[in-house]
Amino acid sequence: MATPVRRAPLGFLGSELDTLQQQGLYRRLRILEGEQRPKATFDHRQVVNLSSNNYLGLTTHPRLREAALEATRKYGVGSGSVRTIAGTMEIHMELERRLADFKHTEAVVVFQSGFAANAGTVAAVLSKDDVVVSDELNHASIIDGCRLSKAAIKVFPHKDPDAARRVLKELPASQRKLLITDGVFSMDGDLGAVPDLCALAEEFGCIMMVDDAHASGVFGKNGRGTIDHFNVHGHVDIQVGTLSKAIGSLGGYVAGSRTLIEFLYHHARPFLFSTSHPPAVAAACIAALDVLTDEPHIIDRLWDNTRFFKGGLKALGFNTGLSESPITPVIAGEGALAMKLSDRLFQEGVFAQGIAFPTVARDKARVRTIVTATHTREELQFALDVFGKVGRELGIIN
Ligand SMILES: Cc1ncc(COP(=O)(O)O)c(C=O)c1O
């Protein structure tokens, strides 16, 4: 037998990584030691943490922690099955009932993540003869769901309902259409054109869907999201929320009519083919809903901190884009500069992750900051001072 030729079939992956290194875009994972808190230790360095989605500090809230421990003691650490076989526990159903009540919808289905909720739902509801009309900055999970559905994808410029209207006008009245936007855009922190798109959905008979991942726990009464913030209850057919950001634990959900939820129970592939949450996760999420109802001052603190920090960055002269939420980008321009900014901030004691192409446009690389309700004023002022020093050093501000 001939001596086998030594092959490296995955060698091209290494070349791709080398290219990222050369472009200054290679991302090393920062390792968190201990809890996810506003002041935390990453890579052995204590920093003011402006990189989490832990808007309300619920990852370490005593009521959630205790609920998770209690559920673990009572029910064990896993559900042991997918929902449709043996993995639907009473606590999963309780969470869905509580979320439906909170969102003022008939029913809710919980998925393992917000990603699974978006991708699984779009792919289940649409098929190849349908069309999706989607904001250009919608989240990757929506884009993947659209691709999986095999529906035609029509993208309209960011937050441009007039452009969406022109797209819709060209489509046959008989064709099934899904009009979809993020409630809050995750990289820019601005709000989707929800009311205008709802009006279009009505005019053109579209299914209206909003991904409220970054609005859950942040916008609307007690954190009910943009549908409540804009008072468009009843006008959004499919509301997606996440349990992984402000809610402090893990998961995603779809809120809507009982028919929609029953349909997803039968057709959404992440629901059908992936194991359900450990009971501790469901219990923590239920406790989070109690906190949103009983302790709304936490949301007020989030907004106070947001105003303080965003105002401070603007006063320093940074380009913070059009953010309307606790997500504030600090736009540096070129990818390597954004990564340099992030690295220097970290050395000086502030963690704000650099984000470059393909996550954002090539010339809009940035560090993304997210304040939380649990940051102290001193921590935020310290971060502003560091931003000022490093921003001047790198010539981003004067
Ligand atoms: C807009 C948006 N939708 C959905 C998701 C996915 O949520 P999850 O982290 O729960 O999977 C994210 C998370 O980054 C997001 O930013």
Side-chain angles (χ1 to χ4, degrees):
M1 202 168 95
T3 316
V5 179
R6 193 161 159 64
R7 297 186 314 128
L10 291 179
F12 70 100
L13 301 182
S15 311
E16 294 267 334
L17 293 174
D18 290 344
T19 308
L20 288 180
Q21 290 268 20
Q22 283 151 18
Q23 293 171 338
L25 299 178
Y26 183 84
R27 203 167 8 183
R28 228 173 28 79
L29 299 178
R30 293 218 183 270
I31 312 296
L32 170 61
E33 296 149 34
E35 297 180 347
Q36 182 65 265
R37 282 191 179 274
K39 205 171 202 174
T41 304
F42 286 87
D43 294 347
H44 314 305
R45 186 182 289 270
Q46 200 184 57
V47 286
V48 172
N49 176 11
L50 295 171
S51 287
S52 84
N53 297 310
N54 186 22
Y55 291 103
L56 302 175
L58 298 193
T59 57
T60 53
H61 193 290
R63 288 173 74 179
L64 276 72
R65 202 192 291 262
E66 198 39 55
L69 288 169
E70 176 61 20
T72 302
R73 278 191 286 268
K74 220 163 149 182
Y75 305 116
V77 297
S79 74
S81 172
V82 299
R83 290 282 303 272
T84 45
I85 299 183
T88 296
M89 303 173 93
E90 173 48 37
I91 200 159
H92 295 128
M93 298 310 293
E94 185 186 342
L95 175 58
E96 291 183 345
R97 282 192 297 272
R98 287 290 308 275
L99 282 167
D101 198 37
F102 184 68
K103 298 293 277 191
H104 302 318
T105 58
E106 275 179 17
V108 157
V109 51
V110 170
F111 288 81
Q112 298 82 355
S113 68
F115 196 108
N118 270 328
T121 300
V122 176
V125 170
L126 298 186
S127 58
K128 68 175 177 38
D129 297 327
D130 305 329
V131 60
V132 190
V133 180
S134 174
D135 187 291
E136 67 175 329
L137 295 188
N138 278 343
H139 190 254
S141 53
I142 292 176
I143 297 168
D144 285 9
C146 295
R147 290 176 181 160
L148 282 168
S149 75
K150 301 197 176 73
I153 303 167
K154 306 270 181 195
V155 172
F156 61 88
H158 183 47
K159 288 184 72 161
D160 188 343
D162 291 338
R165 180 168 224 291
R166 286 193 291 277
V167 171
L168 289 165
K169 269 181 83 169
E170 294 300 311
L171 297 172
S174 59
Q175 191 171 28
R176 187 172 297 132
K177 308 167 196 73
L178 174 74
L179 187 52
I180 184 163
T181 182
D182 281 1
V184 175
F185 288 87
S186 56
M187 293 299 141
D188 291 280
D190 53 341
L191 290 165
V194 174
D196 287 342
L197 295 178
C198 284
L200 283 179
E202 233 130 273
E203 184 182 344
F204 290 92
C206 309
I207 305 161
M208 182 69 210
M209 176 164 170
V210 175
D211 168 15
D212 247 353
H214 284 277
S216 312
V218 176
F219 281 90
K221 187 165 188 293
N222 300 93
R224 283 179 169 78
T226 58
I227 282 79
D228 192 78
H229 172 78
F230 287 120
N231 196 17
V232 287
H233 289 287
H235 297 276
V236 176
D237 305 290
I238 307 178
Q239 298 184 42
V240 169
T242 179
L243 304 165
S244 328
K245 302 184 193 301
I247 304 303
S249 186
L250 177 71
Y253 59 91
V254 173
S257 68
R258 168 59 58 196
T259 308
L260 169 71
I261 302 314
E262 290 286 338
F263 177 87
L264 294 175
Y265 276 179
H266 289 83
H267 290 278
R269 291 170 73 82
F271 183 84
L272 293 169
F273 296 113
S274 186
T275 296
S276 51
H277 282 138
V281 170
C285 294
I286 292 168
L289 293 175
D290 290 336
V291 170
L292 290 181
T293 311
D294 300 346
E295 303 177 42
H297 59 270
I298 301 181
I299 305 177
D300 296 340
R301 269 214 313 270
L302 170 67
W303 281 102
D304 281 348
N305 279 347
T306 297
R307 280 185 284 273
F308 176 77
F309 191 67
K310 205 186 285 292
L313 285 173
K314 280 189 185 155
L316 284 167
F318 284 107
N319 174 3
T320 58
L322 300 172
S323 166
E324 301 164 83
S325 73
I327 301 172
T328 308
V330 174
I331 298 170
E334 192 211 325
L337 182 60
M339 294 306 169
K340 179 88 190 149
L341 172 61
S342 176
D343 286 346
R344 282 290 300 122
L345 290 168
F346 193 77
Q347 285 161 0
E348 297 289 333
V350 174
F351 181 22
Q353 186 63 266
I355 295 173
F357 182 80
T359 310
V360 294
R362 275 187 206 282
D363 60 341
K364 295 235 170 83
R366 66 207 49 200
V367 299
R368 185 177 68 152
T369 67
I370 299 184
V371 298
T372 71
T374 44
H375 280 96
T376 64
R377 272 299 145 90
E378 291 70 32
E379 286 160 355
L380 294 178
Q381 187 57 56
F382 169 81
L384 287 172
D385 293 344
V386 170
F387 260 98
K389 176 181 166 186
V390 174
R392 281 188 292 274
E393 176 190 306
L394 297 178
I396 299 170
I397 53 170
N398 298 315

